[in-house]
């Protein structure tokens, strides 16, 4: 697919990188440019399927095109209705549909053992396969070493900087695209040349958050560097933040073990649903046994801090995490 393809009438989005998902949604909406009354934002599970299908069948008002965005599309059940809409889409050519699924990948049907022996492979499920060349099906996955050049282009599309600086920003942010995006927004108003020092200064603005995020990701080197910048008056807050973050990571771990869907996890997180992507990367490390051991360390560190110990508390937590 081209870097910025011209939208087709149907766009299906899924994948763990929510930042990229939202960028595709914004790209499609900006390209089509519907008037406010010709844009419908719906959420499957909250809005009834009847309301969603009615929104798809409605024709645009006036001369502008109409855009219907359906989030948590994986919760829809009447896929026969969707497949029929795709077949009949030419009857409503100025209505564009963006289906946003919380699934981590395009849902596929696995072949039987006998079919696999005959060379059959997994195929997209019918409600995805019916889209074919009539639309775009996009998986928004994390950048990898194979797509590093594309990741640099993505960063530089937000604010001009040299390749080396863009790569450093990605690595310094632990490839957290939300943090990279937010940092780029700050850098966009910076008057001078963006250098490694400028990036480091911005990312050091919240050492408490950096310490917590790095430790949860088992990046002890970054955590120790961040610990040196945390004032002693903040240590109690850091311990509390770690305890809260451990609870959240543990909840997502347990939900994964129970084979709960990403949409269920997002709902469980509530207002913190934006944390799901980084949590999915790290929650495998936080089973019940490890959480119990870490809580004992946090309890001892908190007691030491309350008794006046301020030197080496965070370093001990990192060592025994």
């Amino acid at each position: 697919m081209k870097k910025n393809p011209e939208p087709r009438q149907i766009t299906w989005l899924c994948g763990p990188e929510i930042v990229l998902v939202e960028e595709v949604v914004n790209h499609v909406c900006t390209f089509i440019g519907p008037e406010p009354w010709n844009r419908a934002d719906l959420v499957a599970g909250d809005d009834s399927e009847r309301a969603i299908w009615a929104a798809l069948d409605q024709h645009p008002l006036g001369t502008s095109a109409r855009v219907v965005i359906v989030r948590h599309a994986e919760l829809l059940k009447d896929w026969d209705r969707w497949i029929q809409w795709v077949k009949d889409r030419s009857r409503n050519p100025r209505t564009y549909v963006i289906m946003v699924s919380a699934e981590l990948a395009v849902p596929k049907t696995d072949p039987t053992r006998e079919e696999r022996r005959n060379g059959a492979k997994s195929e997209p499920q019918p409600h995805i396969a019916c889209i074919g060349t009539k639309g775009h099906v996009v998986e928004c996955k994390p950048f990898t070493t194979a797509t590093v050049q594309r990741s640099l282009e993505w960063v530089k599309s937000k604010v001009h900087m040299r390749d080396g600086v863009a790569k450093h920003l990605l690595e310094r942010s632990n490839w957290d695209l939300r943090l990279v995006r937010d940092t780029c927004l700050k850098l966009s108003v910076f008057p001078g040349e963006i250098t490694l020092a400028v990036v480091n200064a911005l990312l050091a603005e919240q050492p408490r958050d950096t310490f917590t995020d790095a430790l949860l990701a088992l990046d002890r080197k970054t955590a120790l560097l961040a610990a040196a910048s945390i004032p002693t008056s903040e240590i109690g807050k850091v311990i509390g933040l770690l305890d809260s973050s451990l609870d959240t990571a543990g909840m997502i771990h347990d939900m994964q073990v129970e084979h709960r869907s990403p949409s269920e996890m997002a709902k469980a997180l509530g207002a913190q649903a934006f944390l799901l992507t980084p949590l999915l990367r790290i929650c495998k490390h936080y089973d019940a046994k490890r959480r119990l051991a870490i809580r004992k360390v946090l309890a001892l560190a908190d007691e030491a801090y309350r008794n006046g110990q301020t030197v080496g508390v965070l370093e001990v937590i990192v060592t025994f995490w």
Side-chain angles (χ1 to χ4, degrees), residues 8-312:
R8 295 175 181 165
Q9 194 174 0
I10 302 166
T11 303
W12 182 284
L13 296 169
C14 64
E17 282 295 357
I18 305 301
V19 169
L20 298 182
V21 169
E22 292 304 321
E23 286 206 354
V24 175
V25 172
N26 291 335
H27 167 69
V28 174
C29 291
T30 300
F31 188 94
I32 297 170
E35 299 291 349
W37 54 84
N38 275 332
R39 172 170 171 159
D41 288 87
L42 300 156
V43 180
D46 293 338
D47 296 292
S48 68
E49 288 205 25
R50 181 177 180 181
I52 291 172
W53 304 130
L56 265 63
D57 290 338
Q58 183 177 331
H59 288 262
L61 298 174
T63 58
S64 77
R66 176 175 168 81
V67 177
V68 179
I69 304 168
V70 180
R71 299 183 188 277
H72 284 294
E74 76 281 359
L75 298 179
L76 294 173
K77 301 183 184 304
D78 191 359
W79 289 122
D80 289 340
R81 179 72 180 268
W82 164 251
I83 292 171
Q84 190 61 48
W85 190 92
V86 174
K87 290 179 180 178
D88 297 339
R89 74 197 182 285
S90 60
R91 298 179 182 178
N92 195 356
R94 291 193 297 124
T95 291
Y96 290 75
V97 181
I98 306 174
M99 289 287 194
V100 183
S101 170
E103 294 161 306
L104 298 181
V106 172
K108 294 184 177 181
T109 301
D110 293 326
T112 63
R113 185 177 300 177
E114 184 64 30
E115 291 172 334
R116 195 177 291 111
R117 287 199 193 99
N118 294 327
K121 297 181 180 179
S122 299
E123 296 289 343
Q125 292 182 4
H127 63 282
I128 301 294
C130 72
I131 297 172
T133 59
K134 309 172 189 70
H136 291 303
V137 176
V138 184
E139 285 185 353
C140 295
K141 297 180 177 180
F143 290 117
T144 65
T145 53
T147 57
V148 64
Q149 190 56 43
R150 181 60 60 85
S151 67
L152 297 181
E153 293 172 1
W154 178 76
V155 174
K156 292 165 64 179
S157 70
K158 301 185 178 307
V159 58
H160 178 71
M161 64 182 74
R162 290 177 284 113
D163 282 0
V165 178
K167 184 177 180 182
H168 178 73
L169 172 56
L170 286 163
E171 293 174 345
R172 186 74 172 75
S173 302
N174 287 323
W175 296 82
D176 182 339
L177 299 191
R178 186 178 296 276
L179 179 57
V180 173
R181 181 200 63 189
D182 293 346
T183 303
C184 286
L185 287 174
K186 297 176 183 177
L187 289 170
S188 65
V189 298
F190 185 75
E193 180 186 0
I194 297 172
T195 63
L196 297 180
V198 172
V199 170
N200 289 337
L202 274 181
L203 291 177
E205 284 185 344
Q206 296 178 315
R208 185 173 68 191
D209 294 337
T210 301
F211 175 84
T212 305
D213 293 343
L215 193 53
L216 282 169
L218 303 184
D219 182 359
R220 292 181 173 81
K221 180 179 179 181
T222 300
L224 286 171
L225 290 172
S229 304
I230 297 175
T232 55
S233 60
E234 294 278 313
I235 292 177
K237 294 179 181 178
V238 170
I239 294 173
L241 184 59
L242 284 171
D243 189 60
S244 174
S245 300
L246 185 63
D247 278 341
T248 306
M251 178 183 71
I252 297 302
H253 173 277
D254 293 344
M255 292 183 77
Q256 272 199 325
V257 171
E258 295 168 1
H259 302 289
R260 306 285 284 276
S261 69
S263 61
E264 289 177 300
M265 297 178 193
K267 287 184 178 180
L269 288 169
Q272 293 184 309
F274 64 93
L275 294 174
L276 181 58
T277 297
L279 284 171
L280 286 172
R281 297 195 194 109
I282 65 169
C283 66
K284 62 184 178 182
H285 304 297
Y286 296 105
D287 57 27
K289 183 178 179 180
R290 183 169 192 170
R291 297 200 305 266
L292 179 60
I294 290 174
R295 283 202 177 88
K296 291 179 180 178
V297 173
L298 292 178
L300 290 172
D302 187 59
E303 183 179 0
Y305 176 71
R306 292 177 183 276
N307 289 331
Q309 180 67 41
T310 57
V311 178

